[in-house]
């Protein structure tokens, strides 16, 4: 058994397979979508919910804003690396 595969996912999907299935190009935003949906056990709407939250807070939000919000949550140099408290 591969220790890097999520135990809750009986048939984990590889990134390239996910991108092909969804018709997406290989970039950091779509890799985050794959991580949320296929590795972290998140619901399908997690990415869009975060985008809606950011739009509510900032007036507007892009897919890149969502990506950076996740990166900033674990970057010790960011203004609010709140996720580090849980690691």
């Amino acid at each position: 058994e591969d220790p890097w595969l999520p135990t809750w996912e009986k048939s984990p999907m590889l990134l390239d397979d996910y991108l092909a299935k969804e018709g997406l190009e290989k970039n950091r935003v779509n890799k985050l979508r794959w991580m949320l949906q296929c590795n972290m056990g998140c619901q399908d709407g997690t990415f869009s919910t975060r985008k809606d939250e950011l739009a509510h807070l900032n007036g507007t939000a892009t897919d890149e804003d969502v990506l950076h919000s996740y990166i900033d949550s674990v970057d010790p140099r960011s203004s609010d690396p709140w996720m580090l408290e849980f690691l």
Side-chain angles (χ1 to χ4, degrees):
E1 185 172 313
D2 188 335
W4 295 104
L5 294 177
T7 56
W8 56 86
E9 194 62 52
K10 300 302 178 211
S11 300
M13 188 177 299
L14 299 175
L15 173 60
D16 289 337
D17 294 340
Y18 172 80
L19 295 174
K21 177 181 173 254
E22 299 295 326
L24 300 171
E25 64 183 56
K26 194 171 202 172
N27 59 39
R28 293 181 350 145
V29 167
N30 291 331
K31 188 172 189 177
L32 172 62
R33 290 179 193 273
W34 167 74
M35 289 172 60
L36 292 171
Q37 194 168 352
C38 299
N39 293 290
M40 296 177 68
C42 297
Q43 298 175 350
D44 291 347
T46 300
F47 187 94
S48 61
T49 299
R50 182 61 181 148
K51 189 172 181 179
D52 290 345
E53 291 170 341
L54 292 171
H56 180 73
L57 293 170
N58 303 319
T60 186
T62 66
D63 289 352
E64 286 288 324
D65 293 331
V66 176
L67 173 67
H68 290 288
S69 76
Y70 279 95
I71 292 171
D72 289 347
S73 73
V74 294
D75 182 354
R77 297 168 294 173
S78 74
S79 62
D80 186 20
W82 64 272
M83 189 63 91
L84 292 177
E85 295 176 26
F86 298 101
L87 298 176

